Amino acid sequence: MPMKALASTEMLRTPCSLFLFSSRSPRLIASKRGFIRMSATIETKNPRIGWESMVIKPPPHPTYDINAVIKLALAEDAGDQGDVTSMATVPGDMEVEAHFLAKEDGVVAGIALAEMIFDEVDQSLKVEWTQKDGNFVNKGMQFGKVYGRAHSIVVAERVVLNFMQRMSGIATLTKAMADAAYPAYILETRKTAPGLRLVDKWAVLIGGGKNHRMGLFDMVMIKDNHISVAGGVANAIKSVDLFLEQRNLQMGVEVETRTLDEVKEVLNYAAHEKTLLTRVMLDNMVVPLPNGDVDISMLKEAVELINGRFETEASGNVTLETVHKIGQSGVTFISSGALTHSVKALDISLKIDMELALQVGRRTKRA
């Protein structure tokens, strides 16, 4: 029996150890000065699901394997017995049509990932969408459907929805913050769910945001603890310049500053030394006020001091309520950990009996 038939009893009883992260080599994309960036591994045997067909592609990562994450999610659901309820109640040869229903307004995300999950469970499933990743959906809207073996659809249902609801929640908040932050760009941080780094950052892109560094490997980010150990801002930057030059590496370099004096120290160093520094983080220079507003005068002064010599990034006290004012300060970027660490999932369901689902939804004000 083929391994892809997840709905079969044999596959559903397969030990989770079969779903350990794969060692498939990711695609290499060479760039200058020894800096190598690689795309996340995405493999599928189904020709309708391909990298080129994705509306918004996932960000690059040298070791992340989306297929392995999907398999792990399915395996933790199946355990060592599989879907015992479906095996007991759903005839193996029954085919049905299930519809995706938005239960609240928001930006939908995870459509491409959902197709990959369905493909992993059962390649014979047919999926159709009326919306694309990044589109706005309204409460009560049916925006897609999947047709095929009922057993396979039910097996895939919760894993598909878990990813889509989380990604759509991230995309919805990102869209709101990105619009409010203009002309500054909104960024997420590394405060993502463990194991879901790429998925969370993909959702940010779908919502109209930009990605900050993917991890510890693709950008130098000199933070407060590095500065303390190095003996000051200038010493830390100098050490990074030397490190990158010796190893012939090219990547973005950002330094965190917490005071105007530290900003001046950065500028003084850059005025006297050749540096690879590209961005200055202005951390907690947005001061909250008792009335709920924020004072951005310190942030604006820092931006004026830098005067376009480096990109600037505001961090700290960034909320949907404060981001517009921060965006008017002249900063290049605004980073918000809340985009991913405090995500509210968008309510989405997958229903076979849509008439009953809509009836219940109207009764509970969720459709």
Side-chain angles (χ1 to χ4, degrees):
M1 186 170 294
M3 286 290 285
K4 293 291 288 186
L6 254 180
S8 69
T9 304
E10 288 81 354
M11 184 59 181
L12 290 168
R13 293 185 180 182
T14 301
C16 291
S17 59
L18 286 182
F19 293 122
L20 293 174
F21 280 77
S22 108
S23 58
R24 291 190 296 251
S25 298
R27 220 166 30 158
L28 297 182
I29 303 172
S31 64
K32 295 182 288 186
R33 292 194 64 204
F35 179 39
I36 297 176
R37 176 160 292 192
M38 296 174 265
S39 65
T41 301
I42 298 178
E43 292 183 9
T44 174
K45 296 177 182 177
N46 195 329
R48 68 180 169 81
I49 305 171
W51 182 273
E52 294 76 14
S53 67
M54 292 182 184
V55 177
I56 300 172
K57 298 174 177 60
H61 192 290
T63 60
Y64 200 95
D65 185 344
I66 294 181
N67 300 83
V69 172
I70 290 171
K71 289 176 181 178
L72 186 63
L74 291 167
E76 71 178 359
D77 220 14
D80 62 348
Q81 294 294 324
D83 185 353
V84 292
T85 310
S86 291
M87 286 190 282
T89 62
V90 180
D93 58 352
M94 176 180 285
E95 293 193 340
V96 298
E97 185 174 275
H99 293 258
F100 284 91
L101 176 68
K103 292 186 173 180
E104 57 184 320
D105 297 345
V107 176
V108 68
I111 284 175
L113 185 57
E115 288 201 16
M116 294 167 66
I117 297 167
F118 283 126
D119 181 64
E120 181 65 38
V121 172
D122 184 347
Q123 287 186 12
S124 71
L125 294 176
K126 297 177 178 62
V127 190
E128 296 178 11
W129 306 96
T130 59
Q131 302 296 321
K132 299 177 181 178
D133 277 327
N135 285 169
F136 193 83
V137 295
N138 299 108
K139 182 170 73 171
M141 179 187 288
Q142 297 176 44
F143 61 90
K145 62 183 179 181
V146 55
Y147 175 82
R149 294 180 62 211
H151 198 156
S152 300
I153 291 172
V154 175
V155 164
E157 174 190 0
R158 179 41 52 195
V159 174
V160 166
L161 290 176
N162 283 350
F163 277 115
M164 287 191 72
Q165 288 178 314
R166 178 176 177 84
M167 290 182 72
S168 297
I170 292 171
T172 299
L173 179 57
T174 299
K175 173 62 175 171
M177 293 191 76
D179 287 349
Y182 184 83
Y185 297 103
I186 197 75
L187 307 170
E188 84 296 83
T189 68
R190 285 167 50 237
K191 297 174 183 176
T192 54
L196 296 181
R197 173 70 54 82
L198 187 139
V199 173
D200 282 0
K201 285 179 174 280
W202 190 3
V204 168
L205 293 180
I206 292 170
K210 303 283 186 183
N211 286 149
H212 210 307
R213 60 175 178 163
M214 181 59 65
L216 300 174
F217 60 91
D218 59 333
M219 180 182 190
V220 175
M221 190 163 176
I222 309 167
K223 294 192 55 84
D224 51 358
N225 286 334
H226 303 112
I227 292 168
S228 297
V229 172
V233 172
N235 284 344
I237 300 173
K238 186 173 183 178
S239 296
V240 167
D241 285 336
L242 186 62
F243 175 86
L244 295 179
E245 199 66 45
Q246 288 175 340
R247 286 160 177 76
N248 196 34
L249 293 173
Q250 181 175 302
M251 60 180 65
V253 178
E254 179 171 11
V255 64
E256 177 184 307
T257 59
R258 297 155 291 180
T259 66
L260 293 177
D261 284 342
E262 286 187 334
V263 172
K264 292 173 184 176
E265 187 178 349
V266 170
L267 296 175
N268 182 62
Y269 173 84
H272 294 91
E273 303 286 344
K274 180 183 176 182
T275 181
L276 297 172
L277 183 68
T278 54
R279 187 184 305 175
V280 179
M281 176 185 283
L282 308 170
D283 191 45
N284 286 311
M285 295 190 188
V286 175
V287 182
L289 300 174
N291 64 358
D293 198 2
V294 288
D295 179 0
I296 63 167
S297 57
M298 183 180 179
L299 178 66
K300 289 181 71 173
E301 186 175 350
V303 171
E304 289 167 3
L305 282 171
I306 294 167
N307 194 29
R309 280 172 278 188
F310 302 102
E311 296 174 343
T312 52
E313 176 186 333
S315 178
N317 296 306
V318 178
T319 67
L320 189 54
E321 292 71 34
T322 65
V323 71
H324 177 71
K325 190 170 185 178
I326 297 170
Q328 305 310 301
S329 67
V331 291
T332 319
F333 301 102
I334 302 171
S335 56
S336 171
L339 290 178
T340 54
H341 73 56
S342 300
V343 58
K344 176 186 177 294
L346 191 73
D347 197 357
I348 298 170
S349 64
L350 180 63
K351 296 297 182 184
I352 294 171
D353 188 340
M354 276 303 301
E355 185 176 341
L356 180 57
L358 287 170
Q359 180 183 326
V360 173
R362 286 189 286 267
R363 186 177 71 225
T364 58
K365 309 285 193 246
R366 294 167 69 199

